[in-house]
Tab-separated table of all heavy atoms in Angstrom:
chain	number	residue	atom	x	y	z
P	1	ALA	N	-24.021	-17.959	10.234
P	1	ALA	CA	-25.553	-18.057	10.273
P	1	ALA	C	-26.052	-19.130	9.332
P	1	ALA	O	-25.381	-19.230	8.280
P	1	ALA	CB	-26.168	-16.596	10.125
P	2	VAL	N	-27.101	-19.707	9.557
P	2	VAL	CA	-27.673	-20.819	8.686
P	2	VAL	C	-29.202	-20.566	8.494
P	2	VAL	O	-29.918	-20.363	9.497
P	2	VAL	CB	-27.441	-22.192	9.240
P	2	VAL	CG1	-28.103	-23.148	8.384
P	2	VAL	CG2	-26.008	-22.548	9.408
P	3	ASP	N	-29.582	-20.392	7.171
P	3	ASP	CA	-30.961	-20.353	6.874
P	3	ASP	C	-31.316	-21.703	6.304
P	3	ASP	O	-30.526	-22.341	5.442
P	3	ASP	CB	-31.137	-19.293	5.769
P	3	ASP	CG	-30.929	-17.922	6.310
P	3	ASP	OD1	-31.233	-17.697	7.438
P	3	ASP	OD2	-30.520	-17.111	5.465
P	4	PHE	N	-32.354	-22.354	6.778
P	4	PHE	CA	-32.753	-23.601	6.419
P	4	PHE	C	-34.264	-23.642	5.865
P	4	PHE	O	-35.049	-23.147	6.722
P	4	PHE	CB	-32.674	-24.662	7.527
P	4	PHE	CG	-32.762	-26.102	7.124
P	4	PHE	CD1	-31.801	-26.992	6.704
P	4	PHE	CD2	-34.163	-26.655	7.167
P	4	PHE	CE1	-31.945	-28.287	6.413
P	4	PHE	CE2	-34.401	-27.915	6.968
P	4	PHE	CZ	-33.374	-28.760	6.508
P	5	ASN	N	-34.518	-24.111	4.795
P	5	ASN	CA	-35.976	-24.227	4.292
P	5	ASN	C	-36.148	-25.692	3.773
P	5	ASN	O	-35.300	-26.371	3.191
P	5	ASN	CB	-36.169	-23.255	3.114
P	5	ASN	CG	-36.150	-21.787	3.694
P	5	ASN	OD1	-37.155	-21.382	4.372
P	5	ASN	ND2	-35.233	-21.096	3.468
P	6	SER	N	-37.399	-26.183	3.943
P	6	SER	CA	-37.775	-27.494	3.582
P	6	SER	C	-39.066	-27.504	2.700
P	6	SER	O	-40.064	-26.826	3.081
P	6	SER	CB	-37.863	-28.410	4.770
P	6	SER	OG	-38.193	-29.673	4.479
P	7	PHE	N	-39.078	-28.322	1.722
P	7	PHE	CA	-40.289	-28.653	0.933
P	7	PHE	C	-40.479	-30.007	0.617
P	7	PHE	O	-39.674	-30.769	-0.111
P	7	PHE	CB	-40.162	-27.780	-0.422
P	7	PHE	CG	-41.198	-27.957	-1.325
P	7	PHE	CD1	-42.418	-27.292	-1.095
P	7	PHE	CD2	-41.131	-28.763	-2.480
P	7	PHE	CE1	-43.543	-27.510	-2.053
P	7	PHE	CE2	-42.196	-28.956	-3.326
P	7	PHE	CZ	-43.476	-28.345	-3.188
P	8	ARG	N	-41.657	-30.675	1.073
P	8	ARG	CA	-41.979	-31.994	0.933
P	8	ARG	C	-40.800	-32.944	1.284
P	8	ARG	O	-40.351	-33.693	0.375
P	8	ARG	CB	-42.504	-32.175	-0.474
P	8	ARG	CG	-43.832	-31.574	-0.735
P	8	ARG	CD	-44.375	-31.717	-2.064
P	8	ARG	NE	-45.702	-30.943	-2.183
P	8	ARG	CZ	-46.387	-30.903	-3.322
P	8	ARG	NH1	-45.906	-31.542	-4.279
P	8	ARG	NH2	-47.503	-30.345	-3.423
P	9	SER	N	-40.256	-32.799	2.343
P	9	SER	CA	-39.048	-33.557	2.826
P	9	SER	C	-39.283	-34.110	4.183
P	9	SER	O	-40.101	-33.573	4.942
P	9	SER	CB	-37.766	-32.754	2.739
P	9	SER	OG	-37.481	-32.284	1.407
P	10	LYS	N	-38.617	-35.167	4.604
P	10	LYS	CA	-38.788	-35.832	5.855
P	10	LYS	C	-38.343	-34.923	6.995
P	10	LYS	O	-38.875	-34.983	8.188
P	10	LYS	CB	-38.065	-37.156	6.005
P	10	LYS	CG	-38.782	-38.100	5.063
P	10	LYS	CD	-38.188	-39.548	5.136
P	10	LYS	CE	-38.881	-40.619	4.204
P	10	LYS	NZ	-38.155	-41.850	4.311
P	11	ILE	N	-37.341	-34.041	6.780
P	11	ILE	CA	-36.908	-33.083	7.795
P	11	ILE	C	-37.658	-31.809	7.487
P	11	ILE	O	-37.350	-31.145	6.474
P	11	ILE	CB	-35.338	-32.811	7.690
P	11	ILE	CG1	-34.550	-34.182	7.819
P	11	ILE	CG2	-34.884	-31.869	8.806
P	11	ILE	CD1	-33.142	-34.001	7.544
P	12	HIS	N	-38.705	-31.522	8.244
P	12	HIS	CA	-39.454	-30.329	7.912
P	12	HIS	C	-39.415	-29.200	9.001
P	12	HIS	O	-40.028	-28.119	8.784
P	12	HIS	CB	-40.996	-30.766	7.696
P	12	HIS	CG	-41.503	-31.669	8.907
P	12	HIS	ND1	-41.919	-31.109	10.021
P	12	HIS	CD2	-41.703	-33.041	9.000
P	12	HIS	CE1	-42.361	-32.095	10.816
P	12	HIS	NE2	-42.225	-33.184	10.186
P	13	HIS	N	-38.810	-29.439	10.024
P	13	HIS	CA	-38.684	-28.512	11.216
P	13	HIS	C	-37.392	-27.612	10.777
P	13	HIS	O	-36.368	-28.031	10.891
P	13	HIS	CB	-38.561	-29.086	12.479
P	13	HIS	CG	-38.781	-28.128	13.574
P	13	HIS	ND1	-37.866	-27.171	13.914
P	13	HIS	CD2	-39.686	-28.020	14.552
P	13	HIS	CE1	-38.212	-26.467	14.949
P	13	HIS	NE2	-39.411	-27.060	15.328
P	14	THR	N	-37.584	-26.396	10.241
P	14	THR	CA	-36.669	-25.661	9.824
P	14	THR	C	-35.520	-25.249	10.858
P	14	THR	O	-34.330	-25.136	10.487
P	14	THR	CB	-37.253	-24.248	9.249
P	14	THR	OG1	-38.058	-23.614	10.100
P	14	THR	CG2	-38.107	-24.511	7.866
P	15	GLN	N	-35.966	-24.895	12.175
P	15	GLN	CA	-35.181	-24.372	13.113
P	15	GLN	C	-34.194	-25.659	13.504
P	15	GLN	O	-33.024	-25.527	13.789
P	15	GLN	CB	-35.821	-23.922	14.333
P	15	GLN	CG	-34.961	-23.239	15.323
P	15	GLN	CD	-35.888	-22.810	16.439
P	15	GLN	OE1	-37.047	-22.559	16.392
P	15	GLN	NE2	-35.160	-22.112	17.487
P	16	PHE	N	-34.788	-26.887	13.589
P	16	PHE	CA	-34.072	-28.160	13.896
P	16	PHE	C	-33.036	-28.364	12.813
P	16	PHE	O	-31.840	-28.746	12.931
P	16	PHE	CB	-34.931	-29.254	14.093
P	16	PHE	CG	-34.311	-30.544	14.318
P	16	PHE	CD1	-33.579	-30.767	15.611
P	16	PHE	CD2	-34.249	-31.694	13.446
P	16	PHE	CE1	-32.952	-31.913	15.795
P	16	PHE	CE2	-33.547	-32.831	13.608
P	16	PHE	CZ	-32.945	-32.953	14.910
P	17	GLY	N	-33.391	-28.219	11.489
P	17	GLY	CA	-32.523	-28.394	10.364
P	17	GLY	C	-31.393	-27.434	10.443
P	17	GLY	O	-30.241	-27.782	10.084
P	18	ALA	N	-31.673	-26.194	10.748
P	18	ALA	CA	-30.652	-25.164	10.713
P	18	ALA	C	-29.605	-25.494	11.906
P	18	ALA	O	-28.445	-25.281	11.609
P	18	ALA	CB	-31.233	-23.742	10.888
P	19	GLN	N	-30.147	-25.955	12.975
P	19	GLN	CA	-29.229	-26.381	14.049
P	19	GLN	C	-28.297	-27.498	13.635
P	19	GLN	O	-27.195	-27.522	13.959
P	19	GLN	CB	-30.152	-26.732	15.315
P	19	GLN	CG	-29.340	-27.082	16.464
P	19	GLN	CD	-28.742	-25.835	17.222
P	19	GLN	OE1	-29.354	-24.858	17.196
P	19	GLN	NE2	-27.599	-26.058	17.691
P	20	LYS	N	-28.767	-28.441	12.971
P	20	LYS	CA	-28.002	-29.636	12.500
P	20	LYS	C	-26.971	-29.139	11.508
P	20	LYS	O	-25.751	-29.635	11.599
P	20	LYS	CB	-28.918	-30.675	11.838
P	20	LYS	CG	-29.585	-31.579	12.940
P	20	LYS	CD	-28.496	-32.468	13.665
P	20	LYS	CE	-29.151	-33.369	14.670
P	20	LYS	NZ	-28.170	-34.070	15.377
P	21	VAL	N	-27.292	-28.289	10.676
P	21	VAL	CA	-26.241	-27.886	9.735
P	21	VAL	C	-25.182	-27.011	10.436
P	21	VAL	O	-23.962	-27.155	10.176
P	21	VAL	CB	-27.015	-26.886	8.575
P	21	VAL	CG1	-25.859	-26.156	7.722
P	21	VAL	CG2	-27.940	-27.732	7.793
P	22	LYS	N	-25.628	-26.115	11.339
P	22	LYS	CA	-24.629	-25.326	12.128
P	22	LYS	C	-23.668	-26.219	12.913
P	22	LYS	O	-22.429	-26.035	12.851
P	22	LYS	CB	-25.360	-24.452	13.011
P	22	LYS	CG	-24.509	-23.483	13.665
P	22	LYS	CD	-24.138	-23.824	15.019
P	22	LYS	CE	-25.237	-24.039	16.049
P	22	LYS	NZ	-24.782	-24.544	17.354
P	23	ASP	N	-24.276	-27.274	13.525
P	23	ASP	CA	-23.441	-28.289	14.251
P	23	ASP	C	-22.338	-28.915	13.465
P	23	ASP	O	-21.240	-29.062	13.854
P	23	ASP	CB	-24.277	-29.285	14.947
P	23	ASP	CG	-25.205	-28.650	16.102
P	23	ASP	OD1	-24.924	-27.673	16.647
P	23	ASP	OD2	-26.098	-29.467	16.562
P	24	ALA	N	-22.822	-29.363	12.280
P	24	ALA	CA	-21.922	-30.056	11.383
P	24	ALA	C	-20.801	-29.227	10.864
P	24	ALA	O	-19.643	-29.514	10.860
P	24	ALA	CB	-22.548	-30.521	10.159
P	25	ILE	N	-21.036	-27.853	10.625
P	25	ILE	CA	-19.951	-26.878	10.228
P	25	ILE	C	-19.058	-26.652	11.311
P	25	ILE	O	-17.744	-26.796	11.135
P	25	ILE	CB	-20.517	-25.606	9.706
P	25	ILE	CG1	-21.435	-25.836	8.504
P	25	ILE	CG2	-19.519	-24.654	9.384
P	25	ILE	CD1	-22.316	-24.692	8.021
P	26	VAL	N	-19.493	-26.327	12.574
P	26	VAL	CA	-18.630	-25.891	13.531
P	26	VAL	C	-17.745	-27.233	14.148
P	26	VAL	O	-16.707	-27.161	14.594
P	26	VAL	CB	-19.365	-25.303	14.760
P	26	VAL	CG1	-19.976	-24.041	14.377
P	26	VAL	CG2	-20.546	-26.219	15.341
P	27	ASP	N	-18.422	-28.376	14.072
P	27	ASP	CA	-17.763	-29.709	14.486
P	27	ASP	C	-16.630	-29.894	13.543
P	27	ASP	O	-15.582	-30.394	14.051
P	27	ASP	CB	-18.836	-30.855	14.456
P	27	ASP	CG	-19.663	-30.761	15.651
P	27	ASP	OD1	-19.508	-29.890	16.540
P	27	ASP	OD2	-20.725	-31.548	15.755
P	28	ARG	N	-16.761	-29.715	12.199
P	28	ARG	CA	-15.738	-29.943	11.261
P	28	ARG	C	-14.546	-29.037	11.650
P	28	ARG	O	-13.378	-29.419	11.615
P	28	ARG	CB	-16.230	-29.856	9.881
P	28	ARG	CG	-15.090	-30.029	8.905
P	28	ARG	CD	-15.467	-29.655	7.365
P	28	ARG	NE	-14.257	-29.751	6.564
P	28	ARG	CZ	-13.920	-30.851	5.940
P	28	ARG	NH1	-14.591	-32.009	6.045
P	28	ARG	NH2	-12.960	-30.805	5.029
P	29	LEU	N	-14.890	-27.767	11.827
P	29	LEU	CA	-13.855	-26.685	12.044
P	29	LEU	C	-13.162	-26.899	13.422
P	29	LEU	O	-11.935	-26.759	13.529
P	29	LEU	CB	-14.348	-25.192	11.980
P	29	LEU	CG	-14.828	-24.902	10.440
P	29	LEU	CD1	-15.651	-23.626	10.677
P	29	LEU	CD2	-13.776	-24.803	9.546
P	30	ARG	N	-13.925	-27.393	14.409
P	30	ARG	CA	-13.328	-27.587	15.717
P	30	ARG	C	-12.467	-28.863	15.676
P	30	ARG	O	-11.340	-28.871	16.246
P	30	ARG	CB	-14.444	-27.805	16.769
P	30	ARG	CG	-13.882	-28.032	18.128
P	30	ARG	CD	-14.975	-28.440	19.130
P	30	ARG	NE	-15.954	-27.462	19.493
P	30	ARG	CZ	-17.253	-27.685	19.185
P	30	ARG	NH1	-17.554	-28.714	18.422
P	30	ARG	NH2	-18.119	-26.704	19.396
P	31	ASP	N	-12.811	-29.945	14.878
P	31	ASP	CA	-12.042	-31.061	14.689
P	31	ASP	C	-10.683	-30.827	13.964
P	31	ASP	O	-9.672	-31.267	14.489
P	31	ASP	CB	-12.662	-32.133	13.949
P	31	ASP	CG	-13.953	-32.770	14.669
P	31	ASP	OD1	-13.893	-32.536	15.899
P	31	ASP	OD2	-14.818	-33.446	13.992
P	32	LEU	N	-10.710	-29.774	12.971
P	32	LEU	CA	-9.555	-29.462	12.297
P	32	LEU	C	-8.569	-28.522	13.057
P	32	LEU	O	-7.418	-28.648	13.014
P	32	LEU	CB	-9.966	-28.867	11.011
P	32	LEU	CG	-10.441	-29.816	9.948
P	32	LEU	CD1	-11.102	-28.963	8.738
P	32	LEU	CD2	-9.447	-30.810	9.442
P	33	PHE	N	-9.241	-27.483	13.732
P	33	PHE	CA	-8.475	-26.433	14.325
P	33	PHE	C	-8.462	-26.306	15.800
P	33	PHE	O	-7.869	-25.434	16.420
P	33	PHE	CB	-8.819	-25.146	13.599
P	33	PHE	CG	-8.663	-25.250	12.127
P	33	PHE	CD1	-9.858	-25.273	11.402
P	33	PHE	CD2	-7.488	-25.134	11.563
P	33	PHE	CE1	-9.728	-25.309	9.956
P	33	PHE	CE2	-7.273	-25.251	10.181
P	33	PHE	CZ	-8.520	-25.333	9.379
P	34	GLY	N	-9.371	-26.961	16.478
P	34	GLY	CA	-9.674	-26.881	17.861
P	34	GLY	C	-10.343	-25.653	18.313
P	34	GLY	O	-10.500	-25.416	19.510
P	35	THR	N	-10.937	-24.832	17.375
P	35	THR	CA	-11.818	-23.773	17.726
P	35	THR	C	-12.929	-23.718	16.735
P	35	THR	O	-12.881	-24.418	15.681
P	35	THR	CB	-10.904	-22.462	17.736
P	35	THR	OG1	-11.698	-21.396	18.135
P	35	THR	CG2	-10.319	-22.157	16.404
P	36	ARG	N	-13.823	-22.761	16.895
P	36	ARG	CA	-14.866	-22.691	16.015
P	36	ARG	C	-15.583	-21.218	15.943
P	36	ARG	O	-15.337	-20.422	16.872
P	36	ARG	CB	-16.062	-23.571	16.620
P	36	ARG	CG	-16.373	-23.445	18.080
P	36	ARG	CD	-17.830	-23.905	18.395
P	36	ARG	NE	-18.787	-22.785	18.030
P	36	ARG	CZ	-20.065	-22.913	18.076
P	36	ARG	NH1	-20.483	-23.899	18.830
P	36	ARG	NH2	-20.991	-21.967	17.737
P	37	PRO	N	-16.258	-20.975	14.720
P	37	PRO	CA	-16.992	-19.692	14.749
P	37	PRO	C	-18.111	-19.617	15.691
P	37	PRO	O	-18.686	-20.616	16.130
P	37	PRO	CB	-17.520	-19.697	13.206
P	37	PRO	CG	-16.892	-20.822	12.485
P	37	PRO	CD	-16.539	-21.823	13.676
P	38	SER	N	-18.475	-18.356	16.007
P	38	SER	CA	-19.582	-18.112	16.959
P	38	SER	C	-20.818	-17.895	15.937
P	38	SER	O	-20.721	-17.697	14.789
P	38	SER	CB	-19.476	-16.978	17.855
P	38	SER	OG	-19.095	-15.839	17.099
P	39	VAL	N	-22.049	-17.746	16.559
P	39	VAL	CA	-23.349	-17.551	15.646
P	39	VAL	C	-23.598	-16.039	15.771
P	39	VAL	O	-23.654	-15.388	16.828
P	39	VAL	CB	-24.254	-18.450	16.226
P	39	VAL	CG1	-25.704	-18.015	15.481
P	39	VAL	CG2	-24.092	-19.841	16.042
P	40	ASP	N	-23.870	-15.527	14.675
P	40	ASP	CA	-24.359	-14.107	14.489
P	40	ASP	C	-25.622	-14.177	13.405
P	40	ASP	O	-25.285	-14.246	12.276
P	40	ASP	CB	-23.427	-13.119	14.147
P	40	ASP	CG	-23.779	-11.732	13.974
P	40	ASP	OD1	-25.037	-11.571	14.261
P	40	ASP	OD2	-23.033	-10.875	13.526
P	41	LEU	N	-26.752	-14.003	13.819
P	41	LEU	CA	-27.975	-14.092	12.881
P	41	LEU	C	-28.156	-12.870	12.126
P	41	LEU	O	-28.859	-12.917	11.138
P	41	LEU	CB	-29.147	-14.582	13.721
P	41	LEU	CG	-29.221	-15.796	14.516
P	41	LEU	CD1	-30.457	-16.028	15.304
P	41	LEU	CD2	-28.876	-16.957	13.656
């Protein structure tokens, strides 16, 4: 799960920011191992 908060920054949409962070983590793990974690909030 990813919590994202923004203060006076260009990326201010917290849900969009959290999605980008989650994508980056699972993409790295998928590239390395061919599989990825699931999401549990």
Side-chain angles (χ1 to χ4, degrees):
V2 176
D3 294 327
F4 185 93
N5 291 287
S6 177
F7 176 75
R8 294 183 179 174
S9 299
K10 291 183 179 179
I11 304 172
H12 52 80
H13 194 293
T14 55
Q15 192 172 352
F16 178 68
Q19 183 72 33
K20 278 294 175 184
V21 171
K22 186 269 295 180
D23 289 346
I25 296 171
V26 300
D27 287 351
R28 178 185 175 93
L29 294 172
R30 188 192 289 113
D31 291 348
L32 288 172
F33 305 106
T35 186
R36 50 153 288 182
S38 55
V39 173
D40 178 4
L41 300 179

